[in-house]
Amino acid sequence: MADRSTIYEVARRSGVSTATVSRVMADGKGFSPATRERVRAIAAELGWVPSGPARGLASRRSGIVGLLFPDLGRSGEAEEESPLYIDQVIRGAERAATAVGDAVLIAATQCASGRELAFSVAGKVDGLVVMARSVSDEDIDALARSVPVVVLANNRVRSGLDFVGADNRSGARDVTGHLITEHGIRDLAFLGGPSESPDSQDRFAGFCDALALAGLPVPGAPAADGAFTEAGGDQAARAMLAERVPRAIVCGNDEMAIGALGALRSARLRVPADVVVTGFDDIAATRHVRPALTTVHQPMRELGERAVQVLLGRLSEPAGPPFTVVLPTEVVIRGSCGCRAPGSRRQA
Amino acid sequence: MADRSTIYEVARRSGVSTATVSRVMADGKGFSPATRERVRAIAAELGWVPSGPARGLASRRSGIVGLLFPDLGRSGEAEEESPLYIDQVIRGAERAATAVGDAVLIAATQCASGRELAFSVAGKVDGLVVMARSVSDEDIDALARSVPVVVLANNRVRSGLDFVGADNRSGARDVTGHLITEHGIRDLAFLGGPSESPDSQDRFAGFCDALALAGLPVPGAPAADGAFTEAGGDQAARAMLAERVPRAIVCGNDEMAIGALGALRSARLRVPADVVVTGFDDIAATRHVRPALTTVHQPMRELGERAVQVLLGRLSEPAGPPFTVVLPTEVVIRGSCGCRAPGSRRQA
DNA sequence: TTGTAGGCGTTATCAT
DNA sequence: ATGATAACGCCTACAA
């Protein structure tokens, strides 16, 4: 509290040199157990912890990795607009970082206004994990010139950058295929997210793959857009239902599917009897809604973990060819697709 | 990427001194617009961003605030064991920090094993927000000797430390009072969380307050403990029901209430007809379960925001008396208490 | 096992 | 409006 003490004072009071104090705090080698105890005791007594900035300057490693994620819904007053799965990614990143003694710096950025923040963060970290839609593609390239960058869940391949993502396309193909094959459904509609979202694009592509595979007509675009939010899903579904009632609504994510469930209920349509619904992501709420939501599980936590692992790898191996990690997704069968036995999983 | 360039190179190429470059990057005063543009252009061209560590060392401010939150469920394999509301707190903290240009460093720590991590983080930040149960009370004191600390949601008052929390006790008193007053219920049981949790303790105390106020017998301890998890709530409720069936189960948090809902369903008891249930926190899932959960809203995001605001205030005013901020909670009436008109809120 | 000393990349003070 | 230069607190060869 009172003017933070320095390594010099600790050294003086313990009767050793600063080099020895440094070695002790780094848990390295080159000192007797007795010295170690004495130094640590003095440090504790003084409430001294080595200065991160000074350490970082001297060793050229801050021991911090940055995570940039999209900052949705900050403009409006709406709470919880941001996709819930981001929190899981953050947890995963934190876990992987602390596993090696690093810490995670987080920053929510919007493509438009986040530039300054993003570059400010870049200066404070050893490397950056950048989630889709948190900064513009050009800025990703710019950031990558300042610091190692791992791109997360953004299918737009940036030349030479490491990438970690989930197999969205296969997941969407598989759920859609399930509806077609197991339930004999031939009239399906896709409820997409923001058109610029790579995730939404990939999932729509997978949806189309399944239709094509079954010889069904392939639409050129999602039947409606729901902004990846529950309210948006509700609205989009209402609009869709006003025109026609498909036998199945395949949603770009779980939040929208839950919104669609509400719209369907308002329209006095039963799920799955009249219309079946599927989601994507497998957020916690899918188990709580009635009927429970058939969806595609995305390994959100692992996405975060792998992203920082790849980043750490890059830090120790600055050259080397770019990594690309695509984690598998799997469909999770619950009630909303019309299946009886819920809970089973099929890997994609 | 290639050996990060320094302020020297930028200065040389722009034909100015490092001091000027520094001023330009700090957006300060003391340079012509022309110089400003030139320097920024060179910096962008080189992909140079000022080194955070060097900045921090020279200015004695890293521009980073730390957030320590409890790391539950890392031991077991269970995903999503950690209370969901922590994510909201993180978002709030991030928002408040970036509002002033700072960044947030997060670290999940367990009281037992997190010591080292906590102190490592302490060295990297200007100040720390410490959530309940993330580090031991003794370690909080120790940390506070190294760096400014704000205690979040831990009712154990630490002498002289700033504190931010929610009014758990009033919230619990109010829901419980609602059941007694509006629904005429006189046979209530409290399903608590981990006994060492300050939140759980406060909420149980509020529950007791309401009973006492109504002249009902006051229990010495919660009827059961559910570890604040859905599975724990389910188990605890089953155990409780095996002995007796209360008219109301007041739960220490929403996850446990949702678990209790499941246990009740298994026991063929209807909610709210046979047994009414209430939760605490107002997580997203409370709106999805059937019946929707009557609960107590806790301003989670705001908790995070206020905590870092208080911390930032402390940084600019190191002396001064300790702050204490207690945010109000409010009960949210939904279906699980037996009320007809859901959605209304009553402030605590 | 321990000490010495140079350097890490900025900021800030004092000049000009 | 701009420069020169001394800190800032630690790490790390290099020595002893």
Side-chain angles (χ1 to χ4, degrees):
Chain A
M1 280 298 260
D3 266 356
R4 264 134 106 155
S5 36
T6 75
I7 197 175
Y8 294 111
E9 184 165 359
V10 177
R12 192 174 54 69
R13 294 213 196 188
S14 349
V16 298
S17 71
T18 61
T20 297
V21 175
S22 175
R23 287 189 274 256
V24 167
M25 295 315 286
D27 251 341
K29 289 279 175 182
F31 46 81
S32 69
T35 324
R36 178 201 151 91
E37 290 322 311
R38 188 151 28 92
V39 169
R40 288 199 108 87
I42 301 277
E45 181 187 329
L46 259 43
W48 173 77
V49 292
S51 152
R55 266 190 151 157
L57 221 213
S59 64
R60 286 141 250 271
R61 277 199 88 245
S62 64
I64 302 176
V65 300
L67 175 59
L68 264 31
F69 57 93
D71 176 26
L72 312 171
R74 174 165 311 194
S75 37
E77 276 310 291
E79 294 284 312
E80 4 204 7
E81 282 295 303
S82 292
L84 260 25
Y85 82 89
I86 289 180
D87 295 316
Q88 294 295 318
V89 172
I90 294 176
R91 298 291 185 103
E94 190 278 332
R95 177 178 299 198
T98 60
V100 300
D102 275 18
V104 176
L105 197 56
I106 60 172
T109 56
Q110 314 171 83
C111 280
S113 74
R115 279 188 52 102
E116 204 172 353
L117 177 57
F119 283 89
S120 146
V121 169
K124 298 172 176 167
V125 303
D126 294 325
L128 226 36
V129 172
V130 180
M131 287 189 69
R133 294 202 293 159
S134 56
V135 304
S136 71
D137 287 346
E138 302 76 52
D139 284 342
I140 289 187
D141 289 336
L143 285 170
R145 291 176 12 94
S146 309
V147 62
V149 165
V150 171
V151 176
L152 181 55
N154 187 340
N155 62 354
R156 284 280 271 288
V157 179
R158 309 305 301 174
S159 55
L161 293 189
D162 295 316
F163 169 85
V164 174
D167 195 348
N168 287 299
R169 188 159 181 166
S170 297
R173 173 171 35 68
D174 292 347
V175 245
T176 309
H178 170 78
L179 299 181
I180 296 173
T181 308
E182 308 289 324
H183 297 281
I185 296 176
R186 304 180 62 79
D187 175 22
L188 308 92
F190 187 83
L191 206 171
S195 57
E196 73 278 12
S197 157
D199 281 351
S200 184
Q201 292 162 7
D202 282 354
R203 292 167 192 179
F204 177 63
F207 171 78
C208 292
D209 288 347
L211 295 189
L213 212 61
L216 297 172
V218 175
D225 276 6
F228 271 167
T229 67
E230 186 175 333
D234 181 278
Q235 280 191 316
R238 280 175 202 277
M240 181 191 298
L241 295 174
E243 289 204 7
R244 72 188 192 87
V245 178
R247 180 69 185 86
I249 303 180
V250 176
C251 301
N253 77 351
D254 289 332
E255 281 92 338
M256 295 195 301
I258 291 173
L261 246 31
L264 254 9
R265 190 177 305 118
S266 305
R268 313 254 174 225
L269 289 164
R270 291 166 312 162
V271 177
D274 300 320
V275 179
V276 311
V277 173
T278 65
F280 208 111
D281 285 345
D282 195 24
I283 64 176
T286 56
R287 282 181 293 276
H288 299 313
V289 294
R290 294 300 135 183
L293 203 60
T294 287
T295 187
V296 178
H297 178 79
Q298 185 174 193
M300 308 168 277
R301 202 152 193 160
E302 199 182 346
L303 240 23
E305 286 186 18
R306 295 300 287 271
V308 341
Q309 284 166 355
V310 167
L311 180 57
L312 294 171
R314 173 63 56 200
L315 292 179
S316 53
E317 185 78 17
F323 267 100
T324 293
V325 177
V326 177
L327 299 177
T329 53
E330 49 183 332
V331 358
V332 181
I333 302 296
R334 297 205 178 92
S336 69
C337 66
C339 275
R340 311 256 181 85
S344 59
R345 282 183 173 193
R346 310 167 179 216
Q347 183 141 351
Chain B
M1 281 293 262
D3 265 356
R4 264 134 107 156
S5 37
T6 74
I7 197 175
Y8 293 113
E9 185 167 359
V10 177
R12 190 173 55 70
R13 294 212 196 190
S14 348
V16 298
S17 71
T18 62
T20 297
V21 175
S22 174
R23 286 188 276 255
V24 167
M25 297 313 288
D27 251 340
K29 290 278 175 186
F31 47 81
S32 69
T35 334
R36 179 201 150 91
E37 291 320 312
R38 189 152 27 93
V39 170
R40 288 200 109 88
I42 301 277
E45 181 187 330
L46 259 44
W48 173 77
V49 293
S51 151
R55 266 190 151 157
L57 181 55
S59 66
R60 287 144 243 282
R61 275 200 89 244
S62 64
I64 303 177
V65 301
L67 174 59
L68 263 31
F69 57 94
D71 175 26
L72 312 171
R74 176 165 308 194
S75 37
E77 276 311 290
E79 294 284 311
E80 1 206 9
E81 282 294 305
S82 292
L84 261 22
Y85 82 88
I86 290 180
D87 295 316
Q88 294 294 317
V89 173
I90 295 176
R91 299 290 186 103
E94 190 278 333
R95 176 178 300 197
T98 59
V100 300
D102 275 18
V104 176
L105 197 56
I106 60 171
T109 57
Q110 314 170 84
C111 281
S113 74
R115 280 189 51 101
E116 202 172 353
L117 177 57
F119 283 89
S120 147
V121 169
K124 298 172 176 166
V125 303
D126 295 326
L128 228 34
V129 172
V130 181
M131 288 190 68
R133 294 202 293 157
S134 56
V135 303
S136 72
D137 287 345
E138 303 76 52
D139 284 341
I140 289 187
D141 289 336
L143 285 170
R145 291 176 12 91
S146 309
V147 62
V149 165
V150 171
V151 176
L152 181 56
N154 187 340
N155 62 352
R156 283 281 272 289
V157 179
R158 308 307 300 176
S159 55
L161 294 189
D162 296 317
F163 170 85
V164 174
D167 195 348
N168 287 299
R169 188 162 183 163
S170 298
R173 174 171 35 67
D174 293 347
V175 246
T176 309
H178 171 78
L179 300 181
I180 295 173
T181 309
E182 307 290 323
H183 297 280
I185 296 176
R186 303 180 62 79
D187 174 23
L188 308 92
F190 186 82
L191 205 171
S195 57
E196 73 277 13
S197 157
D199 281 352
S200 184
Q201 291 162 7
D202 282 355
R203 292 168 192 179
F204 178 64
F207 171 79
C208 293
D209 289 348
L211 295 189
L213 213 62
L216 296 173
V218 175
D225 276 6
F228 271 167
T229 66
E230 186 175 334
D234 181 277
Q235 280 192 316
R238 280 174 203 278
M240 181 192 298
L241 296 174
E243 290 203 7
R244 70 188 193 87
V245 178
R247 179 69 184 88
I249 303 180
V250 175
C251 300
N253 77 350
D254 290 332
E255 280 92 338
M256 294 195 301
I258 290 173
L261 247 30
L264 254 10
R265 191 178 305 120
S266 304
R268 313 253 173 222
L269 289 164
R270 291 166 312 162
V271 178
D274 300 320
V275 179
V276 312
V277 173
T278 65
F280 208 112
D281 284 346
D282 194 25
I283 63 176
T286 56
R287 282 180 295 275
H288 299 311
V289 293
R290 293 300 134 181
L293 203 60
T294 287
T295 186
V296 179
H297 178 80
Q298 187 176 192
M300 307 167 277
R301 202 153 193 157
E302 198 182 347
L303 240 23
E305 286 185 19
R306 295 300 286 271
V308 339
Q309 283 166 355
V310 167
L311 179 57
L312 294 171
R314 173 63 56 199
L315 291 180
S316 54
E317 185 77 17
F323 267 99
T324 293
V325 177
V326 177
L327 299 177
T329 53
E330 49 183 332
V331 358
V332 181
I333 301 297
R334 297 207 178 92
S336 69
C337 66
C339 275
R340 311 255 182 87
S344 60
R345 283 183 173 193
R346 308 165 180 219
Q347 184 140 350

